Amino acid sequence: MKSPRIAIPEPTSADPEYNQRAWPQYAHAVEASGGIAVKVPLSSSPAEVARLAASCEGVLLPGSPADVNPQKYGEEPVSNCAAADPAREAVDELLLQDASNLRKPLLGICYGFQSLNVWRGGALVQDLQTPVNHRPGRTVREAHTVQIGEGSRLRALLHSGPELTVNSSHHQAVKTVGDGLIPAAVSAKDGVIEAAEGKGEEFILGIQWHPERFFDEDEASHRLFQAFIHAAAGWELRPIRESLAE
């Protein structure tokens, strides 16, 4: 089986230093798991994004220092809401549409999870205020525990028990899940949604923590990326007639 190509957009259009630090971590986790990381520049034209997406068997939406424009879920930004990144949002939407149309495996991480959720009609908490510190930063490996839903795909692919200790670098979170998504994990102490997955057979997963950051040291991160790459390796372009008939 050939190595699947995974489309990964640049995290942000406003901070090249962030991209240089963060994007290679996602690429490393994908390639160490048997995939091929394909960078999607945020300066790409829609036609170029479509061309890159068509060459890939899966989509990974990474984190970002930006926040999704709250007007997309019917709210005005609060004072602590970070600036939106229209270029990143435009690329995400094209990749999400491609993955949805063709049922490609999709993994959203942190901002990428929030982007997926909003694209599917969900809403976000714009600024978390809970007893749990959800943003201790990228150097903290163990920030808090999450409870993983019994019977969830996430729990099955992690081969884990009901709890997992995760890192954390976010100040926003899913408030209402989007169409076709179901919660798969919540923060143990405050109930914040930490993961959601698709209802169908396709691999659709969004998580709030960053498995790419400690990929080389963490077994759960290995299993998550391996499951994603395995799903992408098994993806096949289905006849349009078959998809329309369902």
Side-chain angles (χ1 to χ4, degrees):
M1 188 177 292
K2 70 174 186 177
S3 298
R5 289 167 56 86
I6 307 298
I8 312 174
E10 292 177 309
T12 170
S13 65
D15 190 343
E17 184 179 342
Y18 184 97
N19 290 341
Q20 291 166 8
R21 181 182 74 245
W23 194 91
Q25 293 180 313
Y26 298 100
H28 169 66
V30 163
E31 293 179 351
S33 301
I36 299 170
V38 178
K39 182 181 289 187
V40 182
L42 299 188
S43 59
S44 301
S45 68
E48 178 63 10
V49 175
R51 186 189 70 78
L52 288 171
S55 76
C56 294
E57 288 77 39
V59 171
L60 191 163
L61 301 181
S64 170
D67 284 336
V68 178
N69 184 351
Q71 293 180 335
K72 293 193 170 184
Y73 48 92
E75 297 183 13
E76 292 299 319
V78 301
S79 59
N80 290 331
C81 187
D85 188 341
R88 171 66 195 272
E89 290 182 8
V91 168
D92 275 16
E93 288 168 5
L94 291 170
L95 293 176
L96 283 162
Q97 190 67 61
D98 176 78
S100 177
N101 288 347
L102 300 178
R103 299 185 177 182
K104 293 178 181 178
L106 172 66
L107 175 61
I109 294 175
C110 201
Y111 175 98
F113 173 24
Q114 297 165 10
S115 178
L116 161 67
N117 190 66
V118 170
W119 186 78
R120 283 179 169 258
L124 305 178
V125 178
Q126 289 195 50
D127 190 49
L128 287 169
Q129 300 292 331
T130 83
V132 176
N133 181 7
H134 286 275
R135 41 185 163 177
R138 58 190 173 91
T139 62
V140 177
R141 179 174 175 177
E142 298 185 346
H144 63 84
T145 58
V146 298
Q147 295 177 329
I148 303 175
E150 185 176 359
S152 66
R153 170 175 288 180
L154 178 62
R155 188 156 164 179
L157 68 85
L158 291 178
H159 305 292
S160 73
E163 286 196 344
L164 179 71
T165 301
V166 299
N167 57 30
S168 193
S169 293
H170 63 103
H171 83 110
Q172 296 197 333
V174 168
K175 178 164 62 176
T176 56
V177 294
D179 295 339
L181 299 175
I182 53 175
V186 298
S187 175
K189 292 185 177 179
D190 59 11
V192 167
I193 295 173
E194 290 282 335
E197 58 193 32
K199 292 180 179 179
E201 295 181 0
E202 293 79 29
F203 188 105
I204 302 172
L205 178 64
I207 57 174
Q208 277 297 160
W209 63 95
H210 285 267
E212 80 286 353
R213 289 182 177 170
F214 300 99
F215 175 81
D216 289 329
E217 310 157 37
D218 183 66
E219 183 61 29
S221 298
H222 270 266
R223 287 175 176 169
L224 193 152
F225 273 99
Q226 286 169 353
F228 172 54
I229 297 303
H230 178 76
W235 177 84
E236 292 181 353
L237 181 61
R238 305 172 66 189
I240 294 176
R241 211 176 304 172
E242 177 185 347
S243 296
L244 291 176
E246 295 182 355

